[in-house]
Coordinates of all heavy atoms in Angstrom, one line a residue:
M103 N -3.1 14.2 -23.2 CA -3.5 14.5 -21.9 C -2.3 15.1 -21.1 O -1.3 14.4 -20.8 CB -3.9 13.2 -21.2 CG -5.1 12.6 -21.8 SD -5.9 11.5 -20.7 CE -7.3 11.1 -21.5
N104 N -2.4 16.4 -20.9 CA -1.3 17.1 -20.4 C -1.3 17.4 -18.9 O -0.4 17.9 -18.3 CB -1.2 18.5 -21.1 CG -0.9 18.3 -22.5 OD1 -0.2 17.4 -22.9 ND2 -1.4 19.2 -23.3
D105 N -2.4 17.0 -18.2 CA -2.4 17.1 -16.7 C -3.2 15.9 -16.1 O -3.9 15.2 -16.8 CB -3.1 18.4 -16.4 CG -4.5 18.5 -16.8 OD1 -4.9 17.8 -17.7 OD2 -5.3 19.4 -16.3
P106 N -2.9 15.7 -14.8 CA -3.5 14.5 -14.2 C -5.1 14.6 -14.1 O -5.8 13.6 -14.0 CB -2.9 14.5 -12.8 CG -1.8 15.4 -12.8 CD -2.0 16.4 -14.0
K107 N -5.6 15.8 -14.1 CA -7.0 16.0 -14.0 C -7.8 15.4 -15.3 O -8.9 15.0 -15.2 CB -7.4 17.5 -13.8 CG -7.0 18.0 -12.5 CD -7.5 19.3 -12.2 CE -7.1 19.8 -10.8 NZ -7.7 21.0 -10.4
S108 N -7.1 15.4 -16.4 CA -7.8 14.9 -17.6 C -7.9 13.3 -17.4 O -8.9 12.8 -17.8 CB -7.0 15.2 -18.8 OG -5.7 14.8 -18.8
Y109 N -6.9 12.7 -16.8 CA -7.0 11.3 -16.5 C -8.1 11.0 -15.5 O -8.8 10.0 -15.6 CB -5.7 10.8 -16.0 CG -4.6 10.6 -17.0 CD1 -3.6 11.5 -17.3 CD2 -4.6 9.4 -17.8 CE1 -2.7 11.4 -18.2 CE2 -3.6 9.3 -18.8 CZ -2.7 10.2 -19.0 OH -1.7 10.1 -20.0
D110 N -8.2 11.9 -14.5 CA -9.2 11.8 -13.5 C -10.6 11.9 -14.1 O -11.5 11.2 -13.7 CB -9.0 12.8 -12.4 CG -7.8 12.5 -11.6 OD1 -7.3 11.4 -11.6 OD2 -7.3 13.5 -10.9
G111 N -10.8 12.8 -15.0 CA -12.0 13.0 -15.7 C -12.4 11.8 -16.5 O -13.6 11.4 -16.5
L112 N -11.5 11.3 -17.2 CA -11.7 10.1 -18.0 C -12.1 8.9 -17.1 O -13.0 8.1 -17.4 CB -10.5 9.7 -18.9 CG -10.6 8.6 -19.9 CD1 -11.7 8.8 -20.9 CD2 -9.3 8.4 -20.6
S113 N -11.4 8.8 -16.0 CA -11.7 7.7 -15.0 C -13.1 7.9 -14.5 O -13.8 6.9 -14.3 CB -10.7 7.7 -13.9 OG -9.4 7.4 -14.3
S114 N -13.5 9.1 -14.2 CA -14.8 9.3 -13.7 C -15.9 8.9 -14.7 O -16.9 8.3 -14.4 CB -15.0 10.8 -13.3 OG -14.1 11.1 -12.3
F115 N -15.7 9.3 -16.0 CA -16.6 8.9 -17.0 C -16.7 7.4 -17.2 O -17.8 6.9 -17.3 CB -16.1 9.6 -18.4 CG -17.0 9.2 -19.5 CD1 -18.2 9.7 -19.7 CD2 -16.5 8.3 -20.5 CE1 -19.0 9.4 -20.8 CE2 -17.3 7.9 -21.6 CZ -18.5 8.5 -21.7
V116 N -15.6 6.7 -17.2 CA -15.6 5.3 -17.3 C -16.3 4.6 -16.1 O -17.1 3.7 -16.3 CB -14.2 4.7 -17.5 CG1 -14.1 3.2 -17.4 CG2 -13.6 5.2 -18.9
F117 N -16.0 5.1 -14.9 CA -16.7 4.6 -13.7 C -18.2 4.8 -13.8 O -18.9 3.8 -13.5 CB -16.1 5.3 -12.5 CG -16.7 4.8 -11.2 CD1 -16.3 3.6 -10.7 CD2 -17.7 5.6 -10.6 CE1 -16.9 3.2 -9.5 CE2 -18.3 5.2 -9.4 CZ -17.9 4.0 -8.9
M118 N -18.6 6.0 -14.1 CA -20.1 6.2 -14.2 C -20.7 5.4 -15.3 O -21.8 4.8 -15.1 CB -20.4 7.7 -14.4 CG -20.0 8.6 -13.2 SD -20.8 8.0 -11.7 CE -22.5 8.3 -12.1
L119 N -20.1 5.2 -16.4 CA -20.7 4.4 -17.5 C -20.7 2.9 -17.0 O -21.7 2.2 -17.3 CB -19.8 4.6 -18.7 CG -20.5 4.1 -20.0 CD1 -21.8 4.9 -20.3 CD2 -19.5 4.3 -21.2
G120 N -19.7 2.5 -16.3 CA -19.7 1.1 -15.8 C -20.7 0.9 -14.8 O -21.4 -0.2 -14.8
V121 N -21.0 1.9 -14.0 CA -22.1 1.7 -13.0 C -23.4 1.7 -13.6 O -24.2 0.8 -13.3 CB -22.0 2.9 -11.9 CG1 -23.2 3.0 -11.1 CG2 -20.8 2.7 -11.0
Y122 N -23.7 2.6 -14.6 CA -25.0 2.6 -15.2 C -25.3 1.4 -16.1 O -26.4 0.9 -16.1 CB -25.1 3.9 -16.1 CG -25.8 5.0 -15.4 CD1 -25.0 6.1 -14.9 CD2 -27.1 5.1 -15.2 CE1 -25.6 7.1 -14.2 CE2 -27.8 6.1 -14.6 CZ -27.0 7.1 -14.1 OH -27.6 8.2 -13.4
V123 N -24.3 0.9 -16.8 CA -24.5 -0.2 -17.7 C -24.3 -1.5 -17.0 O -24.9 -2.5 -17.3 CB -23.6 -0.1 -18.9 CG1 -23.8 -1.3 -19.8 CG2 -23.9 1.1 -19.7
G124 N -23.4 -1.6 -15.9 CA -23.1 -2.8 -15.3 C -23.8 -3.1 -14.0 O -24.4 -4.1 -13.7
V125 N -23.8 -2.1 -13.1 CA -24.4 -2.3 -11.7 C -25.8 -2.0 -11.6 O -26.6 -2.7 -11.0 CB -23.5 -1.5 -10.7 CG1 -24.1 -1.7 -9.3 CG2 -22.1 -1.9 -10.7
V126 N -26.3 -0.9 -12.2 CA -27.7 -0.5 -12.1 C -28.7 -1.5 -12.6 O -29.7 -1.7 -12.0 CB -27.9 0.9 -12.8 CG1 -29.3 1.2 -12.9 CG2 -27.1 2.0 -12.1
P127 N -28.4 -2.3 -13.7 CA -29.3 -3.3 -14.1 C -29.6 -4.4 -13.0 O -30.7 -4.9 -12.8 CB -28.7 -3.9 -15.3 CG -27.9 -2.8 -15.9 CD -27.4 -2.1 -14.7
F128 N -28.5 -4.8 -12.3 CA -28.7 -5.7 -11.2 C -29.6 -5.2 -10.1 O -30.5 -5.8 -9.6 CB -27.3 -6.2 -10.6 CG -26.6 -7.1 -11.5 CD1 -25.5 -6.7 -12.2 CD2 -27.0 -8.4 -11.7 CE1 -24.8 -7.6 -13.0 CE2 -26.3 -9.3 -12.5 CZ -25.2 -8.9 -13.2
A129 N -29.3 -3.9 -9.7 CA -30.1 -3.3 -8.7 C -31.6 -3.1 -9.2 O -32.5 -3.3 -8.5 CB -29.5 -2.0 -8.3
G130 N -31.7 -2.8 -10.5 CA -33.0 -2.6 -11.1 C -33.8 -3.9 -11.1 O -35.0 -3.9 -10.8
K131 N -33.2 -5.0 -11.4 CA -33.9 -6.3 -11.4 C -34.3 -6.7 -10.0 O -35.4 -7.2 -9.8 CB -33.1 -7.4 -12.1 CG -32.9 -7.2 -13.6 CD -34.2 -7.6 -14.3 CE -34.0 -7.5 -15.8 NZ -35.2 -7.9 -16.5
L132 N -33.4 -6.4 -9.0 CA -33.7 -6.8 -7.7 C -34.8 -6.0 -7.1 O -35.6 -6.5 -6.3 CB -32.4 -6.7 -6.8 CG -31.3 -7.7 -7.0 CD1 -30.1 -7.4 -6.2 CD2 -31.8 -9.1 -6.7
L133 N -34.8 -4.7 -7.4 CA -35.8 -3.8 -6.8 C -37.0 -3.6 -7.7 O -38.0 -2.9 -7.3 CB -35.2 -2.4 -6.5 CG -34.0 -2.5 -5.6 CD1 -33.3 -1.1 -5.5 CD2 -34.4 -3.0 -4.2
G134 N -37.1 -4.2 -8.9 CA -38.2 -4.0 -9.8 C -38.3 -2.6 -10.3 O -39.3 -2.1 -10.6
W135 N -37.1 -2.0 -10.6 CA -37.1 -0.6 -11.0 C -36.9 -0.5 -12.5 O -36.0 -1.3 -13.1 CB -36.0 0.1 -10.3 CG -35.7 1.5 -10.8 CD1 -36.4 2.6 -10.6 CD2 -34.5 1.9 -11.6 NE1 -35.8 3.7 -11.2 CE2 -34.7 3.3 -11.8 CE3 -33.4 1.2 -12.1 CZ2 -33.7 4.0 -12.5 CZ3 -32.5 2.0 -12.8 CH2 -32.7 3.3 -13.0
E136 N -37.6 0.3 -13.2 CA -37.4 0.5 -14.7 C -37.1 2.0 -14.9 O -37.8 2.9 -14.4 CB -38.7 0.2 -15.4 CG -39.0 -1.2 -15.8 CD -38.0 -1.7 -16.9 OE1 -37.7 -0.9 -17.9 OE2 -37.6 -2.8 -16.8
P137 N -36.0 2.3 -15.5 CA -35.6 3.7 -15.7 C -36.5 4.3 -16.8 O -37.0 3.6 -17.6 CB -34.2 3.6 -16.2 CG -34.1 2.3 -16.8 CD -35.0 1.4 -16.0
D138 N -36.6 5.6 -16.7 CA -37.4 6.3 -17.7 C -36.6 7.5 -18.2 O -35.7 7.9 -17.6 CB -38.8 6.8 -17.2 CG -38.7 7.6 -15.9 OD1 -37.6 7.7 -15.4 OD2 -39.7 8.2 -15.5
G139 N -37.0 8.0 -19.3 CA -36.4 9.2 -19.9 C -35.0 8.9 -20.4 O -34.8 7.8 -20.9
P140 N -34.1 9.8 -20.3 CA -32.8 9.7 -21.0 C -31.9 8.6 -20.3 O -31.0 8.0 -20.8 CB -32.1 11.0 -20.8 CG -32.9 11.8 -19.9 CD -34.2 11.2 -19.8
K141 N -32.2 8.3 -19.0 CA -31.5 7.2 -18.3 C -31.7 5.8 -18.9 O -30.9 4.9 -18.8 CB -31.9 7.2 -16.8 CG -31.4 8.3 -16.1 CD -31.7 8.2 -14.6 CE -33.0 8.8 -14.4 NZ -33.5 8.9 -13.0
R142 N -32.9 5.7 -19.6 CA -33.2 4.4 -20.2 C -32.2 4.0 -21.3 O -31.9 2.8 -21.5 CB -34.6 4.4 -20.8 CG -35.1 3.1 -21.3 CD -36.6 3.2 -21.5 NE -37.1 2.0 -22.1 CZ -37.3 0.8 -21.5 NH1 -37.1 0.8 -20.2 NH2 -37.8 -0.2 -22.1
L143 N -31.7 5.0 -21.9 CA -30.7 4.7 -23.0 C -29.4 4.1 -22.4 O -28.8 3.2 -23.0 CB -30.3 6.0 -23.7 CG -29.3 5.9 -24.9 CD1 -29.9 5.1 -26.0 CD2 -29.0 7.3 -25.4
L144 N -29.0 4.6 -21.2 CA -27.8 4.1 -20.6 C -27.9 2.7 -20.0 O -27.0 2.0 -19.8 CB -27.2 5.1 -19.6 CG -26.7 6.4 -20.1 CD1 -26.3 7.3 -19.0 CD2 -25.5 6.1 -21.0
V145 N -29.1 2.4 -19.5 CA -29.4 1.1 -18.8 C -30.0 0.1 -19.8 O -31.0 -0.5 -19.5 CB -30.3 1.4 -17.6 CG1 -30.3 0.1 -16.7 CG2 -29.7 2.5 -16.8
F146 N -29.4 0.0 -21.0 CA -30.0 -0.8 -22.0 C -30.0 -2.3 -21.7 O -30.8 -3.1 -22.2 CB -29.3 -0.6 -23.4 CG -27.9 -1.1 -23.5 CD1 -27.7 -2.4 -23.9 CD2 -26.8 -0.3 -23.2 CE1 -26.4 -2.9 -24.0 CE2 -25.6 -0.8 -23.3 CZ -25.3 -2.1 -23.7
P147 N -29.2 -2.9 -20.8 CA -29.3 -4.3 -20.5 C -30.6 -4.7 -19.9 O -31.0 -5.8 -20.0 CB -28.1 -4.6 -19.5 CG -27.1 -3.5 -19.8 CD -27.9 -2.3 -20.2
L148 N -31.3 -3.7 -19.3 CA -32.6 -4.1 -18.7 C -33.7 -4.4 -19.8 O -34.7 -5.0 -19.5 CB -33.2 -2.9 -17.8 CG -32.5 -2.8 -16.5 CD1 -33.1 -1.6 -15.7 CD2 -32.7 -4.0 -15.6
R149 N -33.4 -4.0 -21.0 CA -34.3 -4.3 -22.1 C -34.0 -5.6 -22.8 O -34.8 -6.0 -23.6 CB -34.3 -3.1 -23.1 CG -34.8 -1.8 -22.5 CD -34.8 -0.8 -23.6 NE -33.5 -0.2 -23.7 CZ -33.1 0.5 -24.7 NH1 -33.9 0.7 -25.7 NH2 -31.8 0.9 -24.8
L150 N -33.0 -6.2 -22.4 CA -32.6 -7.5 -23.0 C -33.3 -8.7 -22.3 O -33.6 -8.6 -21.1 CB -31.1 -7.7 -22.9 CG -30.2 -6.8 -23.7 CD1 -28.8 -7.0 -23.3 CD2 -30.5 -6.9 -25.1
P151 N -33.6 -9.8 -23.0 CA -34.3 -10.9 -22.3 C -33.3 -11.8 -21.6 O -32.1 -11.7 -21.7 CB -34.8 -11.7 -23.6 CG -33.8 -11.4 -24.6 CD -33.4 -10.0 -24.4
G152 N -34.0 -12.6 -20.7 CA -33.3 -13.7 -20.0 C -31.9 -13.5 -19.5 O -31.6 -12.5 -18.9
P153 N -31.0 -14.4 -19.9 CA -29.7 -14.3 -19.3 C -28.8 -13.3 -20.1 O -27.7 -13.0 -19.6 CB -29.1 -15.8 -19.5 CG -29.9 -16.3 -20.7 CD -31.3 -15.7 -20.6
A154 N -29.3 -12.8 -21.2 CA -28.4 -11.9 -22.0 C -28.2 -10.6 -21.2 O -27.1 -10.0 -21.3 CB -29.1 -11.5 -23.3
W155 N -29.2 -10.1 -20.4 CA -29.0 -8.9 -19.7 C -27.9 -9.0 -18.6 O -27.1 -8.1 -18.5 CB -30.3 -8.4 -19.0 CG -30.7 -9.2 -17.8 CD1 -31.6 -10.2 -17.8 CD2 -30.3 -8.9 -16.5 NE1 -31.7 -10.7 -16.5 CE2 -31.0 -9.9 -15.7 CE3 -29.5 -8.0 -15.8 CZ2 -30.8 -10.0 -14.3 CZ3 -29.3 -8.1 -14.5 CH2 -30.0 -9.1 -13.7
W156 N -27.8 -10.1 -17.9 CA -26.7 -10.2 -16.9 C -25.4 -10.4 -17.5 O -24.4 -10.0 -17.0 CB -27.1 -11.1 -15.8 CG -27.2 -12.6 -16.1 CD1 -28.4 -13.2 -16.4 CD2 -26.2 -13.5 -16.2 NE1 -28.1 -14.5 -16.7 CE2 -26.8 -14.8 -16.5 CE3 -24.8 -13.5 -16.0 CZ2 -26.1 -15.9 -16.7 CZ3 -24.1 -14.7 -16.2 CH2 -24.7 -15.9 -16.5
I157 N -25.3 -11.1 -18.7 CA -24.1 -11.3 -19.3 C -23.5 -10.0 -19.8 O -22.3 -9.7 -19.6 CB -24.2 -12.3 -20.5 CG1 -24.5 -13.7 -20.0 CG2 -23.0 -12.3 -21.4 CD1 -24.9 -14.7 -21.1
V158 N -24.4 -9.1 -20.4 CA -23.9 -7.8 -20.8 C -23.5 -6.9 -19.6 O -22.5 -6.2 -19.7 CB -25.1 -7.1 -21.6 CG1 -24.7 -5.7 -21.9 CG2 -25.3 -7.9 -22.9
S159 N -24.3 -7.0 -18.5 CA -23.9 -6.2 -17.3 C -22.6 -6.7 -16.7 O -21.8 -5.8 -16.4 CB -25.0 -6.4 -16.3 OG -26.2 -5.8 -16.8
V160 N -22.4 -8.0 -16.7 CA -21.1 -8.4 -16.1 C -19.9 -8.1 -17.0 O -18.9 -7.6 -16.6 CB -21.1 -10.0 -15.9 CG1 -19.7 -10.5 -15.6 CG2 -22.1 -10.3 -14.7
L161 N -20.1 -8.2 -18.3 CA -19.1 -7.7 -19.3 C -18.8 -6.2 -19.1 O -17.6 -5.8 -19.2 CB -19.5 -8.1 -20.7 CG -19.3 -9.5 -21.1 CD1 -19.9 -9.8 -22.5 CD2 -17.9 -10.0 -21.0
A162 N -19.8 -5.4 -18.9 CA -19.6 -4.0 -18.8 C -18.8 -3.7 -17.5 O -18.0 -2.8 -17.5 CB -21.0 -3.3 -18.7
I163 N -19.1 -4.4 -16.4 CA -18.4 -4.2 -15.2 C -16.9 -4.6 -15.4 O -16.0 -3.9 -15.0 CB -19.0 -5.1 -14.1 CG1 -20.4 -4.5 -13.7 CG2 -18.1 -5.1 -12.8 CD1 -21.2 -5.3 -12.7
L164 N -16.7 -5.7 -16.1 CA -15.3 -6.2 -16.3 C -14.5 -5.2 -17.2 O -13.3 -4.9 -17.0 CB -15.3 -7.6 -16.9 CG -15.8 -8.7 -15.9 CD1 -15.8 -10.0 -16.6 CD2 -14.9 -8.8 -14.7
V165 N -15.2 -4.8 -18.3 CA -14.5 -3.8 -19.2 C -14.2 -2.5 -18.5 O -13.1 -1.9 -18.6 CB -15.4 -3.6 -20.5 CG1 -14.9 -2.4 -21.3 CG2 -15.4 -4.9 -21.3
A166 N -15.2 -2.0 -17.7 CA -14.9 -0.8 -17.0 C -13.8 -0.9 -16.0 O -12.9 0.0 -15.9 CB -16.2 -0.4 -16.2
F167 N -13.7 -2.1 -15.3 CA -12.7 -2.3 -14.3 C -11.3 -2.3 -15.0 O -10.3 -1.7 -14.6 CB -12.9 -3.6 -13.6 CG -11.8 -3.9 -12.5 CD1 -11.8 -3.2 -11.3 CD2 -10.9 -4.9 -12.8 CE1 -10.8 -3.5 -10.4 CE2 -9.9 -5.1 -11.9 CZ -9.9 -4.4 -10.7
G168 N -11.3 -3.0 -16.2 CA -10.0 -3.1 -16.9 C -9.6 -1.7 -17.5 O -8.4 -1.4 -17.4
L169 N -10.5 -1.0 -17.9 CA -10.2 0.4 -18.4 C -9.7 1.3 -17.3 O -8.8 2.1 -17.5 CB -11.4 1.0 -19.1 CG -11.7 0.5 -20.5 CD1 -13.0 1.1 -21.0 CD2 -10.5 0.8 -21.5
L170 N -10.4 1.2 -16.1 CA -9.9 2.0 -15.0 C -8.5 1.6 -14.6 O -7.7 2.5 -14.2 CB -10.9 1.8 -13.8 CG -12.3 2.5 -14.0 CD1 -13.2 2.1 -12.8 CD2 -12.1 4.0 -14.0
C171 N -8.2 0.4 -14.6 CA -6.8 -0.1 -14.2 C -5.8 0.5 -15.3 O -4.7 1.0 -14.9 CB -6.7 -1.6 -14.1 SG -7.6 -2.3 -12.7
W172 N -6.2 0.4 -16.5 CA -5.3 0.9 -17.6 C -5.1 2.4 -17.5 O -4.0 2.9 -17.7 CB -6.0 0.5 -18.9 CG -5.1 0.8 -20.1 CD1 -3.9 0.4 -20.5 CD2 -5.5 1.7 -21.2 NE1 -3.5 0.9 -21.6 CE2 -4.5 1.8 -22.1 CE3 -6.7 2.5 -21.4 CZ2 -4.5 2.5 -23.2 CZ3 -6.7 3.2 -22.5 CH2 -5.6 3.3 -23.4
I173 N -6.2 3.1 -17.3 CA -6.1 4.6 -17.2 C -5.2 5.0 -16.0 O -4.4 5.9 -16.1 CB -7.5 5.2 -17.1 CG1 -8.3 5.0 -18.4 CG2 -7.4 6.7 -16.7 CD1 -9.7 5.4 -18.3
D174 N -5.4 4.3 -14.9 CA -4.6 4.6 -13.7 C -3.1 4.3 -13.9 O -2.3 5.1 -13.5 CB -5.1 3.7 -12.5 CG -4.5 4.2 -11.2 OD1 -4.5 5.4 -10.9 OD2 -3.9 3.3 -10.5
T175 N -2.8 3.2 -14.6 CA -1.4 2.9 -14.9 C -0.8 3.9 -15.9 O 0.3 4.4 -15.7 CB -1.3 1.5 -15.6 OG1 -1.9 0.5 -14.7 CG2 0.1 1.1 -15.9
A176 N -1.6 4.3 -16.8 CA -1.1 5.4 -17.8 C -0.9 6.7 -17.0 O 0.1 7.4 -17.3 CB -2.1 5.6 -18.9
K177 N -1.8 7.0 -16.1 CA -1.6 8.3 -15.3 C -0.3 8.2 -14.5 O 0.4 9.2 -14.4 CB -2.8 8.5 -14.4 CG -2.7 9.7 -13.6 CD -4.0 9.8 -12.7 CE -3.8 10.9 -11.6 NZ -4.9 10.9 -10.7
K178 N -0.1 7.1 -13.8 CA 1.1 6.9 -13.0 C 2.4 6.9 -13.8 O 3.4 7.4 -13.4 CB 1.0 5.6 -12.2 CG 0.0 5.7 -11.1 CD -0.1 4.4 -10.3 CE -1.1 4.5 -9.2 NZ -1.3 3.2 -8.5
R179 N 2.3 6.4 -15.0 CA 3.5 6.4 -15.9 C 3.8 7.8 -16.4 O 4.9 8.2 -16.5 CB 3.2 5.5 -17.1 CG 4.5 5.2 -17.9 CD 4.2 4.2 -19.0 NE 3.1 3.3 -18.7 CZ 2.2 3.0 -19.6 NH1 2.3 3.3 -20.8 NH2 1.2 2.2 -19.3
R180 N 2.7 8.5 -16.7 CA 2.9 9.9 -17.3 C 3.3 10.9 -16.2 O 4.1 11.8 -16.4 CB 1.6 10.3 -17.9 CG 1.6 11.7 -18.4 CD 2.0 11.8 -19.9 NE 1.6 13.0 -20.5 CZ 2.4 14.0 -20.7 NH1 3.7 13.9 -20.5 NH2 2.0 15.1 -21.3
F181 N 2.7 10.7 -15.0 CA 2.9 11.6 -13.9 C 3.4 10.9 -12.6 O 2.6 10.6 -11.7 CB 1.7 12.4 -13.5 CG 1.2 13.2 -14.7 CD1 0.1 12.8 -15.4 CD2 1.8 14.4 -15.0 CE1 -0.4 13.5 -16.5 CE2 1.3 15.2 -16.1 CZ 0.2 14.7 -16.8
P182 N 4.6 10.4 -12.6 CA 5.1 9.6 -11.4 C 5.2 10.5 -10.2 O 5.5 11.7 -10.3 CB 6.5 9.2 -11.8 CG 6.9 10.0 -12.9 CD 5.7 10.6 -13.6
G183 N 4.9 10.0 -9.1 CA 4.9 10.7 -7.8 C 3.9 11.6 -7.6 O 3.3 12.3 -7.2

């Protein structure tokens, strides 16, 4: 990664994946929304039964948060100031 924009792109990808896999299932369950088409592949926790869907969603949020912190630290280390 030779420029800060590559870190920003990776952060954006991780953020969007964390939102789709982690946050959208909670909103979907609250609003009674079922995704269709290609979005259904990304929101796979909605297809899980019972408590498994929210465990997977919470883990996805935590992993995404950890990765975002790690990417930000790596970016600051590589490009100080």
Side-chain angles (χ1 to χ4, degrees):
M103 298 199 170
N104 295 328
D105 61 342
K107 290 186 181 192
S108 58
Y109 285 97
D110 294 338
L112 185 59
S113 293
S114 298
F115 176 74
V116 169
F117 178 78
M118 291 304 296
L119 198 60
V121 167
Y122 265 102
V123 177
V125 178
V126 170
F128 284 109
K131 288 287 186 177
L132 288 174
L133 301 173
W135 172 74
E136 274 291 320
D138 56 348
K141 289 183 269 187
R142 186 166 174 80
L143 180 65
L144 289 175
V145 191
F146 71 89
L148 284 178
R149 294 184 279 163
L150 295 174
W155 73 266
W156 63 266
I157 293 170
V158 171
S159 294
V160 168
L161 283 174
I163 291 170
L164 293 175
V165 167
F167 182 75
L169 284 173
L170 287 172
C171 291
W172 183 63
I173 292 168
D174 188 53
T175 303
K177 177 183 170 186
K178 287 178 182 177
R179 191 174 339 138
R180 176 91 162 107
F181 302 102

